[in-house]
Amino acid sequence: LNTSLTFYQKYLHLQESSFTRIEHEDAIVAVVYKITPRNGKELILKICDRENDYLREVYFLKLLAKKILTTKILQLIPPQKGMSGAILMEYLPGDLLKPNALTESLAFELGRTLAHIHLNRLPGYGDPIQDQLFDSPLPYFTYKFEEGLEECKSHLSARFIEIYRRYYESHLHLLSSVDGPCVI
């Protein structure tokens, strides 16, 4: 898909703004830019190559906006033929958490925030596309498991992949005891 920065600059009327790509090792869902417009009010632009990633990101940002402090969506550019979806949002200052910055009080606050997130029951399993296709968690979890294995194929041997697959299949019955979909 086309993720041309020039397209998004023009579409969002931000041609005169400065765009800085934010790189970090866990960035797998989107290409992220910090934008500094002439007025100085910083923004974030996330460009999602995969439609499902875009849909999930928008879904959860909207859901969590009512539950916890999160960034506000300013404008959405839905994916279209040949063009990746993008989310323009406000910038919240801060840094990625580093292990040496974790204190007991911060760990408590993070745990409390995660508890607020986990308490949110959902009508489906958090994937707007797959929720329409599957009426039970088992096919959905199998779909996600296979998707994850596919991503690992270039990093793990075929023997390990098969061991993981057999383990999953032998323990699949345990998923029938889950208490329903919630945010994790």
Side-chain angles (χ1 to χ4, degrees):
L1 291 175
N2 185 359
T3 57
S4 166
L5 185 56
T6 305
F7 167 81
Y8 297 101
Q9 287 172 317
K10 191 177 287 188
Y11 187 95
L12 297 165
H13 307 290
L14 294 168
Q15 294 96 322
E16 303 298 319
S17 300
S18 166
F19 282 69
T20 305
R21 188 168 174 166
I22 298 174
E23 301 275 357
H24 66 87
E25 62 191 42
D26 296 322
I28 60 174
V29 171
V31 176
V32 181
Y33 292 95
K34 181 178 177 182
I35 304 169
T36 307
R38 282 189 174 183
N39 68 10
K41 185 176 179 188
E42 295 172 320
L43 306 167
I44 293 292
L45 177 66
K46 293 182 94 171
I47 303 172
C48 302
D49 288 338
R50 298 181 300 199
E51 182 176 6
N52 279 355
D53 290 337
Y54 169 84
L55 293 171
R56 280 188 209 102
E57 188 82 14
V58 170
Y59 176 85
F60 283 107
L61 281 172
K62 287 180 177 180
L63 175 77
L64 295 175
K66 301 170 190 160
K67 315 289 183 190
I68 62 171
L69 174 64
T70 188
T71 187
K72 180 181 174 188
I73 296 173
L74 301 174
Q75 189 170 349
L76 298 173
I77 303 174
Q80 39 195 301
K81 187 176 181 172
M83 189 58 63
S84 298
I87 306 164
L88 180 66
M89 59 187 82
E90 68 181 354
Y91 172 79
L92 293 179
D95 293 309
L96 293 174
L97 182 62
K98 302 207 179 345
N100 60 351
L102 188 62
T103 64
E104 189 174 320
S105 62
L106 182 56
F108 179 83
E109 286 303 315
L110 290 170
R112 184 165 55 181
T113 301
L114 285 173
H116 285 299
I117 292 171
H118 296 319
L119 289 173
N120 290 282
R121 295 287 177 226
L122 300 171
Y125 284 89
D127 188 319
I129 303 297
Q130 299 306 321
D131 286 346
Q132 295 172 23
L133 301 176
F134 303 125
D135 60 356
S136 128
L138 299 181
Y140 175 75
F141 286 132
T142 299
Y143 167 81
K144 294 305 285 179
F145 177 78
E146 292 296 331
E147 182 181 62
L149 274 187
E150 188 62 34
E151 292 175 4
C152 294
K153 280 186 176 178
S154 62
H155 305 289
L156 300 172
S157 71
R159 181 175 148 265
F160 279 124
I161 296 286
E162 189 53 36
I163 289 170
Y164 299 140
R165 181 174 278 114
R166 280 197 308 263
Y167 180 87
Y168 176 80
E169 290 169 356
S170 69
H171 291 82
L172 186 60
H173 68 280
L174 296 174
L175 291 174
S176 62
S177 65
V178 298
D179 62 354
C182 65
V183 180
I184 57 168

